Amino acid sequence: MRAPAVRLALAGTALIGVLAGCVTRTPTSTEASRVALPSLAASLPAVPADDPKPAPSAASGSAAPTTSTTPAAPASSRPAGSPGPTGTTKGRPPGPPPAPGTAPRPRVPTGAELRKALLGSGDLPGFQVDGGDGGGDAGGGGCPALDTDFSSGASAKAEVLLFQSASTDSAYIRERVRQLGESRARAALDRVRGAPGSCGTFTTTVDRLGAVTVTVHRLGVGRIGDEATALRITMRPKIVSLVAVENLVLVRRGGTLIILSHTSLSAIDDALTVRAAAKAYTKTTSVW
């Protein structure tokens, strides 16, 4: 997350007077994908009851005996409901399936591992690494929930900036990865998730542009990692007729927080935002 001054800087110096009348695409939401859950136990047929022996029929013309001449079968000494010879309980499966094992928790990555997991020039078609660093906490943007990159308290961090060189839309993707620990990472994600409620619309001042009106809306990205949240941030400088748009996605994996910003001066590609966030998460799983 960056203050509007830095967000607009990502779009390039062409912000002032070069591009005019840009129109952003209507925000769309991507519903979380549904996951089919497997059956927890196989269906087992009930064990059939013992077949009773038929009573002997009376001879023709003779009276039926008042008592059976066939000796009764000895009563089983096995208590009711106890396992039979095959080890199964009569009429029921042998017991509940064993509880699934707990998935191993991701270990804490080093700074070198965070850097290795960053998006690179071959990960997103048309994008290449800019070579600049990820920058620090700009602050002062008018929305406390967005004016930090969560470097404070991080045990390791890494960042990269990619740009779409062949595009005329000045599209950029910036990725930051912060190792915060699970409780801090959860709190950071919750803080950003609440931004539309705390500062849905605000005005800030940007050098060379003056007053900039910023609006913040929720954006759907589906399920990525342990949890994810996304925002659509729209910036409208008052001195020029243009719109800069940023899709901001936070993905948590254990105590690792992935912060991905996709910025464009024209209609933004929501599908590209989702692909970039999913790819950033997948790369962490291939490193640690």
Side-chain angles (χ1 to χ4, degrees):
M1 282 78 57
R2 312 288 289 167
V6 181
R7 289 190 172 97
L8 293 173
L10 287 179
T13 56
L15 274 169
I16 301 179
V18 178
L19 296 178
C22 296
V23 179
T24 61
R25 190 185 310 171
T26 302
T28 59
S29 296
T30 304
E31 296 296 331
S33 60
R34 298 177 181 175
V35 181
L37 297 177
S39 174
L40 296 179
S43 175
L44 299 177
V47 178
D50 296 333
D51 293 331
K53 294 182 179 180
S57 59
S60 175
S62 62
T66 58
T67 59
S68 173
T69 58
T70 304
S76 173
S77 61
R78 187 172 66 247
S82 62
T86 61
T88 61
T89 300
K90 189 173 182 179
R92 293 180 298 180
T102 303
R105 299 174 67 83
R107 63 180 177 82
V108 177
T110 64
E113 288 172 321
L114 294 186
R115 290 188 291 274
K116 185 178 180 180
L118 289 172
L119 293 171
S121 295
D123 291 323
L124 299 172
F127 281 84
Q128 63 186 45
V129 174
D130 179 79
D133 62 21
D137 185 353
C143 182
L146 302 178
D147 292 340
T148 181
D149 65 359
F150 298 108
S151 290
S152 177
S155 62
K157 63 178 183 176
E159 50 272 316
V160 68
L161 175 65
L162 299 96
F163 69 98
Q164 198 170 16
S165 58
S167 172
T168 59
D169 294 336
S170 299
Y172 291 84
I173 290 179
R174 181 182 293 269
E175 180 190 10
R176 298 178 186 82
V177 187
R178 303 289 185 255
Q179 183 58 36
L180 300 172
E182 187 164 336
S183 61
R184 284 177 177 266
R186 285 180 181 273
L189 195 144
D190 287 342
R191 174 180 172 182
V192 172
R193 183 185 285 125
S198 61
C199 47
T201 302
F202 61 95
T203 301
T204 188
T205 301
V206 177
D207 291 343
R208 301 177 62 199
L209 290 176
V212 176
T213 300
V214 183
T215 57
V216 182
H217 298 281
R218 289 183 176 85
L219 185 68
V221 292
R223 182 174 180 177
I224 306 175
D226 293 335
E227 60 177 328
T229 193
L231 302 175
R232 166 72 56 77
I233 303 171
T234 306
M235 296 154 279
R236 294 180 173 86
K238 292 188 177 180
I239 66 171
V240 288
S241 178
L242 61 84
V243 176
V245 187
E246 177 184 306
N247 285 347
L248 174 66
V249 184
L250 269 69
V251 178
R252 183 181 66 81
R253 180 187 174 212
T256 305
L257 190 66
I258 301 169
I259 308 162
L260 188 134
S261 304
H262 175 200
T263 309
S264 179
L265 284 181
S266 61
I268 196 164
D269 185 350
D270 292 342
L272 172 60
T273 304
V274 176
R275 288 198 304 272
K279 182 66 175 180
Y281 168 75
T282 302
K283 289 199 72 173
T284 67
T285 64
S286 68
V287 176
W288 73 87

